[in-house]
Amino acid sequence: MSQHCIFCRIARKEVPSQLVHEDEQCVVIQDINPQAPTHWLIFPKQHLERLHDLSEAGRPLLGHLLLTARSMAERAGVAQGGYRVVINNGDDGGQTVPHLHLHLLGGRAMHWPPG
Ligand code: 5GP
Ligand code: ZN
């Protein structure tokens, strides 16, 4: 847990959010600035800045986050039509919140390459 991290504060319910799902390991919220009809954020309760803070021991957590994205796509009703799961990492990756999170985007056709 990081005292000032916005996602840690959301996980602790110190900051309000549109909570979609919560379990022992992770939280799912609606993005405050949605880029698609469905734009949800999946993040671990444990404060990890980015993918590079995980090693082999993080394998079960990463599996859990990805499978949560899968089930959230079902819940959002975008599984059939298709969706995108994104992890922005570090400055060049476009990461703005330094707490590891997956973006689940769906409900419209995505473009490639991303900007
Ligand atoms: P990043 O750019 O780090 O990959 O994504 C951070 C995401 O978090 C952005 O899409 C941004 O809109 C979202 N975000 C930032 N602050 C908050 C917040 O306080 N609440 C919610 N729900 N989303 C946030
Ligand atoms: Zn954090």
Side-chain angles (χ1 to χ4, degrees), residues 12-23:
R12 289 197 297 266
K13 314 274 170 40
E14 291 172 9
V15 170
S17 69
Q18 301 270 31
L19 186 70
V20 178
H21 166 86
E22 180 176 14
D23 60 38

Side-chain angles (χ1 to χ4, degrees), residues 6-7 10 29-33 39 41 88 94-97 101 103:
I6 184 67
F7 287 177
I10 286 172
I29 61 171
Q30 293 185 14
D31 197 292
I32 204 168
N33 182 22
H39 187 174
L41 302 171
N88 296 326
Q95 184 175 13
T96 59
V97 174
H101 52 281
H103 295 256

